[in-house]
Amino acid sequence: MTQHLTTDNIIDYLHGELDPAEDALVHSHLQACAPCRAEFERESSLTDALRAYAHAEERDLPGMVKAQLWQTIRTQRPSAAERLAALLRPAIAVPAAALLVLVTYFASPLGRPTAQLRTIDVMYYFEQHAAEQMKSPLADRNATSSMLETSEAAFTGSTTLPVRAAAVMDAVR
Amino acid sequence: MGVPRRPVEPPTAEQAAFLERAIAEYGKATYNFAYRLTQNESDARDLTQDAFIRVYRAWRSFQPGTSFLSWIYRIVTNLYRDELRRRKGRFHEEIPEDNAPQEFGGQRPLAVTPIEDYVEGQLSEPLSQALQMLSPEQRQVVMLADIEEYSYQEISEIMGCSIGTVRSRLHRARALLRRLIQRQQQQQQR
């Protein structure tokens, strides 16, 4: 670094705000350049002066601040936001509770009825019934095999439950 | 003041303990920060009190492990900014930042070094006067960077501005401070 440092460079260096490479460059430049070192000393002394001033001017927290703080807290009115929140609390809490109950209900087995279960039961029933019919020497084989085909189609979900049930019933008839 | 005030729910034991501890540990630093900002005791007391009321109300939002001092300095900063807007800056004679580069920018070292003299001797009054002549933002950035020794990043979080703004405000504020100190020394010599 052959040029002189800018004051801004020196201030950032003084505050440790340069990246490591820049910091190293400034550091080595200050070793070699008397005018820049003098400038650095001046900036440092300003910082020293500010710290000395702050130290000399340091004050204790007046006791009345703490007393008034607690007094204010005990006697203050709630802020507008707090009043609004208090006002809205039941209006928000009741629907929220209702929503929670509904979500809990539908997430639990109680809230999942039975559509799937009923389908399986009905199909299972008709398949078992058809199988029994097939064993019987007196059974109408056409009707029974048709019933089995229909029940298989229904089980694979190709139709809705009422339609499937109706189709199976028709086949039985 | 004439309207009777309804007390709010009393603080819980935990909330009260938090506030007590915050005041005990950080009350003095907060008050001094407020005093350096406002440059008067009455405003500093009010600012400190208002800041701790904010802490009391928002105590649950404080994240353990983070710097409480940075948090309350940020609260003080915001309250002070609001107060300045409310008062429309009539308590401060602000020096526009835009003036700084033309008047002081790029200036090389002063021929004399009055700052060292102030450090050794009559320090407080000239420096105090010089600080009062800075804009509130300039004064604050100098306090945070040079007295409180915060990094530019931390200052940007406290002041709610970019690191670049912190850097440029600090550069201008320090240049202005040096200029003002030099001027005062010249006046004293006359």
Side-chain angles (χ1 to χ4, degrees), chain B residues 108-124:
Chain B
R108 292 311 298 166
L110 303 174
V112 291
T113 57
I115 292 161
E116 285 89 335
D117 298 339
Y118 291 134
V119 173
E120 289 168 9
Q122 307 166 5
L123 168 76
S124 293

Side-chain angles (χ1 to χ4, degrees), chain A residues 151-170:
Chain A
S151 112
E152 193 178 347
F155 190 73
T156 57
S158 60
T159 53
T160 60
L161 177 62
V163 174
R164 276 179 271 159
V168 173
M169 291 302 289
D170 287 342

Side-chain angles (χ1 to χ4, degrees), chain A residues 4-19 22 33 35-36 38-80 82-83 86 89, chain B residues 3-9 11 15-17 19-20 23 27-28 31-32 35-36 39 41 45-46 48-50 52-53 56-57 106-113 115-116 118-119 123-125 127-128 131 142 145-147 149-153 163 167 170-171 174-175 177-178 181:
Chain A
H4 286 305
L5 301 169
T6 64
T7 304
D8 291 354
N9 270 148
I10 289 171
I11 291 171
D12 290 343
Y13 174 78
L14 186 62
H15 291 86
E17 292 288 344
L18 296 176
D19 65 49
E22 271 186 299
C33 179
C36 287
E39 174 72 351
F40 173 76
E41 292 300 327
R42 272 181 280 272
E43 289 298 334
S44 294
S45 69
L46 177 57
T47 296
D48 291 343
L50 286 162
R51 286 181 191 158
Y53 163 76
H55 184 70
E57 291 288 304
E58 198 167 78
R59 289 142 204 264
D60 286 328
L61 178 70
M64 63 187 294
V65 172
K66 188 175 165 184
Q68 284 178 350
L69 174 64
W70 280 114
Q71 179 68 18
T72 305
I73 285 171
R74 290 191 185 102
T75 58
Q76 71 186 335
R77 288 170 63 87
S79 68
E82 286 168 335
R83 286 200 299 272
R89 204 169 288 137
Chain B
V3 181
R5 293 184 160 191
R6 180 163 58 87
V8 290
E9 289 178 10
Q15 191 177 14
L19 187 62
E20 280 287 351
I23 295 169
K28 182 178 175 182
Y31 175 68
N32 277 284
Y35 179 78
R36 289 185 205 116
Q39 303 282 301
E41 289 186 355
R45 282 198 303 266
D46 290 347
T48 304
Q49 185 179 312
D50 290 348
F52 276 104
I53 286 174
Y56 165 81
R57 285 181 177 156
Q107 199 167 49
R108 292 311 298 166
L110 303 174
V112 291
T113 57
I115 292 161
E116 285 89 335
Y118 291 134
V119 173
L123 168 76
S124 293
E125 191 57 31
L127 198 49
S128 171
L131 282 168
V142 165
D146 289 305
I147 297 172
E149 299 183 56
Y150 279 110
S151 70
Y152 291 179
Q153 171 72 41
I163 292 176
R167 178 178 275 114
L170 182 64
H171 295 168
R174 289 178 64 103
L177 261 183
R178 287 177 56 172
I181 290 168

